[in-house]
Amino acid sequence: MKSQDHILDEVFNHFLKGSKIFRNREVLRHDYVPDNLPHRKEQILHLGEITAPALSGSPCSNVLIYGKTGTGKTAVVKFVLNKLTQKAKELGSTVNVCFVNCRLAGTEYRVLATLCTNINIKVPFTGLAVGEIFDRFKENLESQGIIFIVALDEIDALVKVRGDSLLYELTRINENLQRSKVSIIGISNDLKFKESLDPRVLSTLSEEEIVFKPYTADELLDILMERAKIAFYNDVLTEGAVKLCAALAAAEHGDARRALDLLRVAGEIAERRGEKKITETHVREAQERIEHDQVYEAIKSLPTHSKIILLTAYFLSKFNTDRSVTGEIYNLYSEICEQLGVSPLTQRRVSGLINELDILGLLNSRVISLGRYGRTKKIGLGVPRKVIVEVLSEDERFRAIFNYKPKYLMALPE
Ligand SMILES: Nc1ncnc2c1ncn2[C@@H]1O[C@H](COP(=O)(O)OP(=O)(O)OP(=O)(O)O)[C@@H](O)[C@H]1O
Ligand SMILES: [Mg+2]
């Protein structure tokens, strides 16, 4: 039962913060692990069965976990490993669990250093060769006599940059251990990453596989409702709003992260306006804002020449030319490069970059037939011009270019 103290705290905080919307904003953060994960019972049980032998001191199978972004892989693994750790403590089992995000760790060295720290092996921040740390890790591990469960989240990041040598060593390590054993849980949303693994590593790593399917709109609705109960005050969230969040996220690719983001941003919009309820209008605005931010980030992180190609498409659109075919783009691109004091890439490279921008949706290209003159590509901007101005003007190198009148375009016949 709630104590009266607690109720008052809530009232005071509520008043002080001025929010009439959020009871607890934290539970909508990406790294929050809820106590209940609807529609993942099967995966939780499966991973539970795989890891359970560790509780009685036996090694468990390695497992690869797959599924698109936002399908609950990280949440499920953290959930199961937290429960396992609790149970191991109760039983006094010699199990250690270490969860590492390989993308955030960045290097093999840091992944390995994290594993070492987890079992109290001291390693310097830098300075040792990876092989040297690995030996230290192995010796110390053996002397501790434990089952070490290692979860490598976003494992593809490790392999993409460094190849699979650390994974190779880790999947072989048990051959040289008597008293301790290592079990690996690999997690990835990149299905192609399997192809980049040495077949021996792949077969050891994927003794078991668990697949996470995208959520349906109904499943997302259940997830959102659970979270909304904690996140918002009663009666703040309208049914239409939460259903819309679920439907929009399901239409994308069944991504629970997107659904929760929509809910949070919609709540923030309502709060900022001092409104009492979150409605569908707020959700639609949230959707626009999230998409805008994504486009913004995508453009900002492009390499220079891709930005210049976008600028080229910007000018073609601004001067309303019909000449946005590959060859024309290249001429204008070269002029803009010159104007910026950058040497242009070859036409071939530029074509490659145009394809990449097309895949990102920042450009739209369409192949058109020129009858007996063959075919060409017609290229247009995939985002509003003002977004290009907004993002690229933040970069000093590009600020002045927006007032420029390209000679190439001026010289074209009407
Ligand atoms: N079944 C569920 N119940 C409640 N919340 C969930 C569920 N599935 C996912 N979530 C929440 O959705 C968000 C995204 O989930 P998670 O981080 O586990 O996705 P992921 O599959 O690891 O995605 P990525 O491949 O991008 O890392 C998290 O905030 C998580 O708490
Ligand atoms: Mg994840």
Side-chain angles (χ1 to χ4, degrees):
M1 224 173 67
K2 270 187 177 176
S3 82
Q4 288 186 326
D5 253 12
H6 184 76
I7 292 169
L8 268 185
D9 272 349
E10 214 169 84
V11 171
F12 289 157
N13 285 338
H14 181 173
F15 179 79
L16 287 172
K17 278 200 230 117
S19 175
K20 309 264 187 292
I21 299 277
F22 290 100
R23 192 204 312 265
N24 181 352
R25 208 182 292 260
E26 293 296 300
V27 304
L28 296 176
R29 283 171 53 115
H30 288 167
D31 53 4
Y32 174 79
V33 182
D35 293 332
N36 184 23
L37 295 162
H39 304 291
R40 284 298 177 241
K41 192 169 160 205
E42 195 186 310
Q43 288 81 355
I44 289 172
L45 289 177
H46 193 172
L47 187 60
E49 281 162 10
I50 293 171
T51 50
L55 292 171
S56 59
S58 312
C60 34
S61 304
N62 295 328
V63 49
L64 261 190
I65 292 183
Y66 282 108
K68 288 211 169 129
T69 188
T71 51
K73 300 180 297 299
T74 301
V76 162
V77 172
K78 282 191 171 162
F79 178 88
V80 171
L81 294 183
N82 285 345
K83 296 280 174 222
L84 187 82
T85 310
Q86 259 174 30
K87 194 75 189 169
K89 242 186 222 148
E90 277 170 40
L91 298 168
S93 322
T94 48
V95 183
N96 269 63
V97 168
C98 185
F99 186 96
V100 195
N101 182 305
C102 300
R103 188 175 45 81
L104 296 180
T107 59
E108 288 188 331
Y109 190 97
R110 270 186 268 163
V111 170
L112 208 42
T114 310
L115 301 186
C116 287
T117 311
N118 185 276
I119 51 172
N120 297 317
I121 307 172
K122 294 210 164 42
V123 284
F125 279 125
T126 51
L128 293 183
V130 173
E132 225 172 309
I133 298 205
F134 195 81
D135 291 341
R136 217 185 264 192
F137 171 66
K138 200 159 62 183
E139 277 162 30
N140 270 279
L141 185 64
E142 177 66 353
S143 69
Q144 296 188 18
I146 55 171
I147 301 291
F148 194 22
I149 299 182
V150 174
L152 299 173
D153 200 0
E154 308 197 34
I155 191 172
D156 44 290
L158 187 66
V159 178
K160 238 175 247 158
V161 192
R162 305 279 147 176
D164 57 7
S165 53
L166 178 61
L167 282 184
Y168 183 81
E169 297 296 339
L170 276 177
T171 48
R172 298 288 127 189
I173 195 170
N174 289 340
E175 293 167 9
N176 298 311
L177 296 174
Q178 265 83 48
R179 299 185 52 238
S180 291
K181 292 290 173 204
V182 173
S183 300
I184 303 168
I185 301 174
I187 308 168
S188 176
N189 60 25
D190 176 2
L191 286 165
K192 276 196 255 131
F193 124 94
K194 267 177 152 182
E195 295 163 15
S196 54
L197 288 180
D198 179 313
R200 285 170 300 180
V201 176
L202 180 60
S203 73
T204 318
L205 206 54
S206 59
E207 287 171 330
E208 299 269 357
E209 288 196 350
I210 307 180
V211 178
F212 282 59
K213 290 219 191 81
Y215 293 113
T216 63
D218 286 342
E219 289 173 341
L220 287 172
L221 188 60
D222 291 337
I223 293 171
L224 290 178
M225 294 300 279
E226 289 261 326
R227 208 67 77 87
K229 272 189 264 168
I230 327 174
F232 301 115
Y233 288 106
N234 298 344
D235 302 326
V236 161
L237 185 62
T238 64
E239 194 183 327
V242 65
K243 281 193 169 152
L244 185 58
C245 290
L248 290 173
E252 204 138 320
H253 53 255
D255 175 348
R257 186 180 295 116
R258 169 53 76 94
L260 288 162
D261 281 346
L262 282 167
L263 200 58
R264 191 196 72 244
V265 176
E268 283 166 359
I269 292 171
E271 175 176 62
R272 213 159 306 143
R273 306 236 169 98
E275 292 175 85
K276 292 198 176 66
K277 285 192 186 290
I278 306 173
T279 63
E280 287 166 61
T281 318
H282 299 133
V283 176
R284 295 222 180 267
E285 276 180 49
Q287 164 95 336
E288 267 170 39
R289 183 168 310 172
I290 291 169
E291 272 170 12
H292 175 273
D293 290 353
Q294 276 176 342
V295 170
Y296 197 95
E297 284 308 315
I299 299 176
K300 214 165 125 182
S301 59
L302 288 173
T304 305
H305 283 277
S306 300
K307 286 182 178 160
I308 300 177
I309 293 167
L310 278 186
L311 267 176
T312 309
Y314 163 87
F315 280 115
L316 286 165
S317 152
K318 181 172 172 188
F319 291 96
N320 205 9
T321 43
D322 202 21
R323 309 223 161 204
S324 37
V325 294
T326 327
E328 308 274 353
I329 290 231
Y330 189 72
N331 291 338
L332 183 56
Y333 157 82
S334 306
E335 182 186 336
I336 293 174
C337 281
E338 192 187 327
Q339 193 63 26
L340 293 168
V342 179
S343 14
L345 302 173
T346 61
Q347 184 153 357
R348 217 186 123 103
R349 285 274 288 125
V350 168
S351 293
L353 294 179
I354 289 175
N355 288 339
E356 284 173 19
L357 291 169
D358 194 6
I359 292 167
L360 289 173
L362 299 174
L363 289 181
N364 286 323
S365 67
R366 201 155 48 86
V367 176
I368 50 170
S369 161
L370 298 176
R372 61 198 179 91
Y373 300 106
R375 290 184 309 161
T376 187
K377 237 187 205 173
K378 210 165 149 83
I379 290 151
L381 263 186
V383 293
R385 281 208 300 276
K386 70 173 193 329
V387 177
I388 303 286
V389 181
E390 194 183 333
V391 187
L392 295 188
S393 323
E394 276 184 11
D395 188 330
E396 254 172 42
R397 294 171 303 169
F398 297 125
R399 210 164 288 156
I401 197 87
F402 288 103
N403 300 320
Y404 181 65
K405 294 206 164 57
K407 294 189 206 81
Y408 180 77
L409 293 177
M410 299 299 127
L412 290 173
E414 283 293 313

